[in-house]
Amino acid sequence: DAKTTQPNSMESNEEEPVHLPCNHSTISGTDYIHWYRQLPSQGPEYVIHGLTSNVNNRMASLAIAEDRKSSTLILHRATLRDAAVYYCILRPVYGGSQGNLIFGKGTKLSVKP
Amino acid sequence: EAGVAQSPRYKIIEKRQSVAFWCNPISGHATLYWYQQILGQGPKLLIQFQNNGVVDDSQLPKDRFSAERLKGVDSTLKIQPAKLEDSAVYLCASSSSGTASHEQFFGPGTRLTVL
């Protein structure tokens, strides 16, 4: 399985942008890059995903390096509610059991008021 | 739309007892997943259903864990007999499709404590 590497923890100030990095040097051409986050005492929730191009949605932006070996999740203005564990996951495009989510330990983001 | 429902939210049992968890996915979602999340770790997939058929149960400890999804809607996960190391949060997720471009929606989980 393709692996991702994320920092164990990061800190941010409220209302400032946050850049959460993810390295995936062994990514294959058919792997989607997914981001999920898990707030305390809740199940994970989907944030964003992309394949090659940068992506934006109401929650965040995903910047994908040209060689696809790294990506960055960008929260444009962190709020206290964004304090969570953020998971970067590679997911093969094939689906079925090969398309399952394999969670690592993620990055624990703390947001200071 | 209503999210993924799970019950109970909390369960405390003694080792060697049995326990069952229930999940009701989002209406119309064909794919259903059960995950186990041990404290301090990311969720680990136990089993994936597509409608009422099993797609992947390679990480399900089949000597003690079982799961079913009757009629392709609700699902139950059972542990019999429980061990101390089964203490974890059990998460249910559903998706409209099992393909990689479709997001999974997670329920709040059931926190199991085995004494």
Side-chain angles (χ1 to χ4, degrees), chain B:
Chain B
E1 71 185 356
V4 176
Q6 290 189 247
S7 68
R9 290 296 312 277
Y10 304 92
K11 190 74 177 178
I12 299 174
I13 62 173
E14 296 192 350
K15 60 183 179 183
R16 291 188 289 273
Q17 285 188 323
S18 304
V19 65
F21 313 124
W22 173 82
C23 172
N24 181 236
I26 292 173
S27 177
H29 279 191
T31 311
L32 185 146
Y33 310 80
W34 282 102
Y35 291 83
Q36 179 192 58
Q37 185 171 25
I38 292 171
L39 188 65
Q41 299 181 17
K44 182 184 84 171
L45 180 71
L46 292 176
I47 189 167
Q48 176 190 357
F49 291 95
Q50 182 72 19
N51 296 308
N52 58 353
V54 175
V55 174
D56 182 6
D57 63 357
S58 57
Q59 300 209 74
L60 187 74
K62 299 181 187 63
D63 57 334
R64 297 184 301 106
F65 286 63
S66 64
E68 60 182 8
R69 189 182 184 198
L70 299 175
K71 301 180 182 177
V73 183
D74 293 5
S75 178
T76 56
L77 176 69
K78 296 179 182 178
I79 307 175
Q80 180 180 11
K83 292 185 175 182
L84 296 177
E85 59 260 35
D86 298 332
S87 293
V89 176
Y90 291 85
L91 295 158
C92 179
S94 70
S95 176
S96 59
S97 164
T99 62
S101 60
H102 287 79
E103 64 184 277
Q104 294 185 18
F105 295 84
F106 285 79
T110 296
R111 182 176 297 277
L112 173 67
T113 302
V114 182
L115 303 175

Side-chain angles (χ1 to χ4, degrees), chain A residues 26-82:
Chain A
T26 59
I27 190 171
S28 77
T30 52
D31 286 338
Y32 278 96
I33 302 161
H34 281 248
W35 284 82
Y36 280 73
R37 72 179 185 181
Q38 188 169 22
L39 279 64
S41 302
Q42 294 188 26
E45 66 173 340
Y46 167 83
V47 178
I48 200 167
H49 78 275
L51 188 60
T52 56
S53 303
N54 294 345
V55 184
N56 299 297
N57 66 19
R58 63 175 179 81
M59 289 181 71
S61 295
L62 176 60
I64 302 173
E66 205 167 316
D67 63 4
R68 299 187 73 236
K69 293 186 176 181
S70 66
S71 61
T72 303
L73 179 70
I74 302 166
L75 307 179
H76 295 286
R77 287 184 69 200
T79 68
L80 297 178
R81 196 193 172 278
D82 291 322

